[in-house]
Amino acid sequence: MAQKKVLLVGESWISASTHFKGFDQFSSVTFHLGAEPLVAALKDSPFELTYMTGHDAPEKFPATMAELSVYDAVLLSDIGANSILLHPDVWLRSKTFPNRVKLMRDWVGQGGSLAMIGGYMSFQGIDGRARWRGTAVEEVLPVECLPYDDRLEIPEGAAALVRLPHHAIVRDIAGTWPPVLGVNEVRPKPGAEVIATLPADQGGHPLLVAGRYGKGRAVAWTSDIGPHWLSAEFCAWEGYRRIWLQMLTWMTQSP
């Protein structure tokens, strides 16, 4: 059986540091990838993962229905709306270009599947800079973004409360889940399936929510795809791989 094609967009960053050594100083730049746990989890699976880094997305994210329809599922992880809206033709050359955020909405409506994964540039994000609120992608998601910095840092850790244990995404995942160290705060839309939340004493905020849009399916996972919001224990847990495999299986099912 042919593997289903999954496009992961984002989950990379570049950091610049200045090093001071007495009177002297120098600078360095480091490139980081944040999705290694997912890449490992999908190895030798029914899913073929294409990993499009954040700095590649403005130019290379699909711009037509035909290009996007190559994929069975798209995962947006820690990448803001501007990176999809601002193709170099728009940003650098003041030319028109297709609105790829609206394209994702239309693609899901015709049977595609989309997930947004939490992070500092997911949902509304740090200082509200991810800016997914009010976009066509938010129309598709089973949750609403908030109009402000939506991060919830949980340094003490929080174990998920599974509210729909028989849902296909979490079925047969037994026992207590390892801790998450943060989420984006969102609001479930009416009719959405709230599969897992934080415990009530930590606000009961949604962690995993599934829904449908037109002929397609969408998922919101409000914690990270890996560190830092996912603890080392979570990434090493045998349930980590099962969650992602079952999530992608549910997302890419025929209506």
Side-chain angles (χ1 to χ4, degrees):
M1 183 180 296
Q3 290 178 299
K4 293 185 177 180
K5 296 183 182 298
V6 178
L7 177 62
L8 169 64
V9 187
E11 211 45 68
S12 71
W13 65 99
I14 298 169
S15 60
S17 300
T18 302
H19 306 256
F20 296 91
K21 295 196 172 184
F23 185 88
D24 299 301
Q25 68 180 56
F26 67 93
S27 298
S28 65
V29 176
T30 306
F31 176 67
H32 309 265
L33 292 171
E36 291 94 333
L38 181 64
V39 172
L42 296 185
K43 185 178 180 181
D44 300 323
S45 79
F47 300 98
E48 176 187 338
L49 182 69
T50 297
Y51 191 170
M52 181 179 289
T53 55
H55 65 277
D56 282 327
E59 183 171 7
K60 296 182 179 179
F61 188 86
T64 68
M65 187 66 72
E67 291 171 348
L68 194 54
S69 295
V70 167
Y71 301 99
D72 298 287
V74 171
L75 309 179
L76 300 175
S77 185
D78 216 352
I79 187 164
N82 282 329
S83 293
I84 309 298
L85 289 167
L86 294 175
H87 186 276
D89 278 353
V90 179
W91 174 240
L92 300 176
R93 304 175 190 103
S94 298
K95 296 180 179 180
T96 60
F97 194 82
N99 188 319
R100 295 174 292 181
V101 171
K102 291 181 179 178
L103 174 65
M104 278 191 277
R105 175 196 60 197
D106 297 343
W107 172 71
V108 175
Q110 294 179 25
S113 57
L114 177 71
M116 183 169 286
I117 315 304
Y120 275 31
M121 280 292 164
S122 298
F123 300 100
Q124 199 67 351
I126 187 169
D127 300 330
R129 294 184 181 185
R131 298 179 63 85
W132 287 107
R133 178 178 168 85
T135 68
V137 160
E138 188 192 32
E139 291 181 42
V140 169
L141 295 176
V143 298
E144 295 177 355
C145 301
L146 303 181
Y148 45 76
D149 188 323
D150 59 8
R151 294 168 302 131
L152 292 171
E153 303 288 353
I154 314 171
E156 72 277 23
L161 176 61
V162 180
R163 297 185 175 274
L164 299 177
H166 300 297
H167 194 282
I169 296 178
V170 296
R171 187 180 299 145
D172 299 325
I173 300 176
T176 301
W177 292 19
V180 300
L181 305 178
V183 300
N184 297 89
E185 184 181 356
V186 297
R187 293 195 183 101
K189 292 179 180 176
E193 299 172 295
V194 181
I195 300 168
T197 68
L198 300 185
D201 62 356
Q202 289 174 309
H205 299 286
L207 176 62
L208 177 58
V209 185
R212 291 167 173 79
Y213 180 86
K215 296 179 180 179
R217 299 185 178 200
V219 171
W221 168 261
T222 62
S223 193
D224 218 328
I225 216 167
H228 84 277
W229 273 354
L230 282 195
S231 63
E233 294 91 342
F234 201 111
C235 293
W237 174 48
E238 62 180 10
Y240 175 89
R241 183 173 191 267
R242 183 180 288 271
I243 287 172
W244 290 104
L245 290 177
Q246 293 183 171
M247 182 190 300
L248 289 169
T249 298
W250 182 83
M251 289 172 63
T252 58
Q253 287 176 352
S254 299

